[in-house]
Amino acid sequence: MKHDSSSIYKQYREQKKKERMKVILVQLSLLIGFFAFWEMASRNQWINPLIFSQPSKIWTLFLEKIMDGSLLPHVSITLFETIIGFILGTVLGTVFASVIWWFPFLNKVLEPYLVVLNSMPKVALGPLLIVGLGPGFFSIMAMALAITVIITTIVVYTSFKEVDPNYIKVIRTFGGNKKEIYSRVILPASFPTIISTLKVNVGLAWVGVIVGEFLVAQKGLGYFIIYGFQVFNFTLVLLSILIIACIATLMYQVVFFIEKKLIKNRV
């Protein structure tokens, strides 16, 4: 019986491995097919090659920028700003959600303001941030935080409220205070939501930083996009967009890996 169970589990793992490989192969095929069709469409002028460029030109420009050393400084600046915005946005949002949960009256006061701030287009705050913080790093960070903090606060606080009240009753039955309820029930139960928020904030942090660089930066991938648009160098614009997509995907995979490790350790 034990041997049969082991054999079934082994077959299951082999099946899942084959399925995962099949998914990866299909994904790679779609990606290669997309770039091949893009190249062919541009060469045959099915699409406007001036606006949409073509992958071969983007690759050539990428190599040129790497060789002359003009690309990496811009990438590193934007990546640094995004990581800082990503971490601060998640941490501050979780802290604000915790404070609101701790003081229910505060939630009643702030709830309409959070809804309004969440629905407000954050780009509209750009001029105020530039005037208040200056056209530099701090205004870019403020834009990134404006996008990430509010949504993190709302999502995490909602998760706090949805924790099973029976768990809280158990802690109170044994004489636990509010601090113990938070540390032993609320925060651990909301851990999956906080991790999910990390994955969402990867994209939101990139949006905030790039929008901030659109407005004020003289370096970074956002600056590259604006500069390329101004001089009608759409190959540079598309190169910057593809670099952002690649790095954002890598960041997402890192967060996904951390999530798997933490959940595995909790189990």
Side-chain angles (χ1 to χ4, degrees):
M1 185 69 178
K2 185 176 180 181
H3 176 73
D4 290 341
S5 300
S6 177
S7 177
I8 292 172
Y9 179 68
K10 186 176 181 181
Q11 290 177 1
Y12 171 77
R13 290 194 61 183
E14 288 294 327
Q15 183 181 352
K16 296 298 289 185
K17 186 176 180 181
K18 288 179 181 178
E19 183 180 345
R20 190 161 54 248
M21 289 300 298
K22 189 183 294 184
V23 169
I24 293 173
L25 287 174
V26 172
Q27 289 174 336
L28 288 175
S29 299
L30 288 173
L31 185 63
I32 293 170
F34 169 75
F35 283 108
F37 179 78
W38 181 4
E39 182 75 23
M40 182 173 61
S42 182
R43 287 181 181 272
N44 294 314
Q45 296 190 351
W46 300 343
I47 57 176
N48 190 332
L50 175 63
I51 297 176
F52 296 101
S53 189
Q54 56 196 63
S56 58
K57 288 183 178 180
I58 295 172
W59 177 250
T60 300
L61 180 62
F62 173 73
L63 294 178
E64 290 176 359
K65 293 291 184 182
I66 289 292
M67 295 301 292
D68 63 22
S70 61
L71 180 62
L72 290 179
H74 291 274
V75 173
S76 60
I77 288 172
T78 301
L79 181 59
F80 173 75
E81 292 169 343
T82 303
I83 291 174
I84 296 298
F86 164 71
I87 295 173
L88 283 179
T90 304
V91 171
L92 290 177
T94 303
V95 170
F96 290 158
S98 301
V99 171
I100 293 172
W101 175 86
W102 197 277
F103 302 102
F105 179 77
L106 194 59
N107 171 56
K108 295 177 182 179
V109 173
L110 295 180
E111 184 176 8
Y113 295 101
L114 290 174
V115 172
V116 170
L117 287 173
N118 187 49
S119 60
M120 180 186 298
K122 306 306 184 294
V123 179
L125 299 174
L128 295 175
L129 297 177
I130 294 170
V131 173
L133 300 174
F137 174 79
F138 291 107
S139 57
I140 294 173
M141 283 295 95
M143 180 63 71
L145 293 178
I147 292 177
T148 56
V149 169
I150 301 300
I151 188 66
T152 302
T153 302
I154 293 173
V155 170
V156 174
Y157 175 69
T158 301
S159 176
F160 286 173
K161 290 197 300 182
E162 292 176 350
V163 172
D164 191 338
N166 291 320
Y167 296 148
I168 299 174
K169 290 178 182 177
V170 171
I171 297 295
R172 285 176 174 165
T173 300
F174 286 97
N177 55 26
K178 198 165 189 176
K179 180 180 179 181
E180 289 173 325
I181 291 173
Y182 176 80
S183 61
R184 294 177 181 271
V185 176
I186 299 298
L187 195 59
S190 303
F191 183 77
T193 300
I194 295 172
I195 294 296
S196 297
T197 305
L198 284 174
K199 293 189 285 188
V200 173
N201 279 349
V202 169
L204 294 179
W206 276 102
V207 171
V209 168
I210 295 301
V211 169
E213 289 184 346
F214 281 172
L215 297 174
V216 301
Q218 296 183 348
K219 289 183 179 181
L221 293 173
Y223 166 76
F224 259 9
I225 293 173
I226 290 297
Y227 174 76
F229 172 75
Q230 290 173 343
V231 299
F232 267 65
N233 185 352
F234 291 104
T235 302
L236 179 60
V237 173
L238 290 168
L239 171 62
S240 303
I241 292 172
L242 289 175
I243 290 173
I244 291 170
C246 291
I247 300 176
T249 301
L250 288 175
M251 285 181 63
Y252 182 89
Q253 291 300 321
V254 169
V255 172
F256 182 71
F257 175 79
I258 293 172
E259 177 187 20
K260 286 179 63 177
K261 288 292 184 183
L262 290 176
I263 291 177
K264 185 177 179 181
N265 290 335
R266 281 167 61 86
V267 173

